[in-house]
Amino acid sequence: MKVKIRSVGIWPFGPSFAVAYDEARNLMFLGSGYGVCILNVTNPANPTKVSEAIYTRYTRCIVCGLFYLNNRLNIACGYAGLEIWDVTNPSSPVKLGSCDTPGEARSVYVLGSYAYVADGDAGLRIINISNPSS
């Protein structure tokens, strides 16, 4: 049996490099250029913008990876390292903290109190994120 795959919706505004999903609230976090766009995807054929308030630290930084867990969005920000944002209120996200890394943060995975950051040529960085402000 062949399964037909087809596109049902599109968000054509700007380049896209990473996505993360909040299943409980039907929110898609889209790493797009130098920041993150938050979309409501309750109707995938017609996504609507909730916020574009997340901008990463440096203009040369591209959002390369996103990881969403417990209303926190962890962002691998290329040469700017790791940023952590509180997205409890998706229309008004709050930056909780950041950690510069020696390489180019390309992906992030969170398990417990640790963020595992794929940091390009600098290898894997393991960052304690239990207190993101420090």
Side-chain angles (χ1 to χ4, degrees), residues 55-57 73-75 77 80-85 95 97-98:
Y55 290 97
T56 53
R57 293 184 296 158
L73 187 64
N74 296 267
I75 306 172
C77 301
L82 175 70
E83 290 189 5
I84 302 171
W85 289 72
K95 185 175 176 182
S98 63

Side-chain angles (χ1 to χ4, degrees), residues 30-113:
L30 177 62
S32 184
Y34 305 116
V36 176
C37 185
I38 303 173
L39 305 174
N40 181 317
V41 292
T42 301
N43 177 359
N46 187 27
T48 57
K49 180 173 60 173
V50 175
S51 173
E52 285 182 313
I54 297 177
Y55 290 97
T56 53
R57 293 184 296 158
Y58 302 114
T59 56
R60 66 182 182 146
C61 152
I62 300 293
V63 171
C64 299
L66 299 171
F67 190 89
Y68 172 81
L69 181 67
N70 297 330
N71 291 324
R72 288 189 177 176
L73 187 64
N74 296 267
I75 306 172
C77 301
Y79 292 110
L82 175 70
E83 290 189 5
I84 302 171
W85 289 72
D86 182 335
V87 291
T88 301
N89 179 355
S91 61
S92 268
V94 175
K95 185 175 176 182
L96 298 175
S98 63
C99 181
D100 198 7
T101 60
E104 182 181 5
R106 296 183 182 184
S107 182
V108 59
Y109 184 84
V110 174
L111 183 61
S113 296

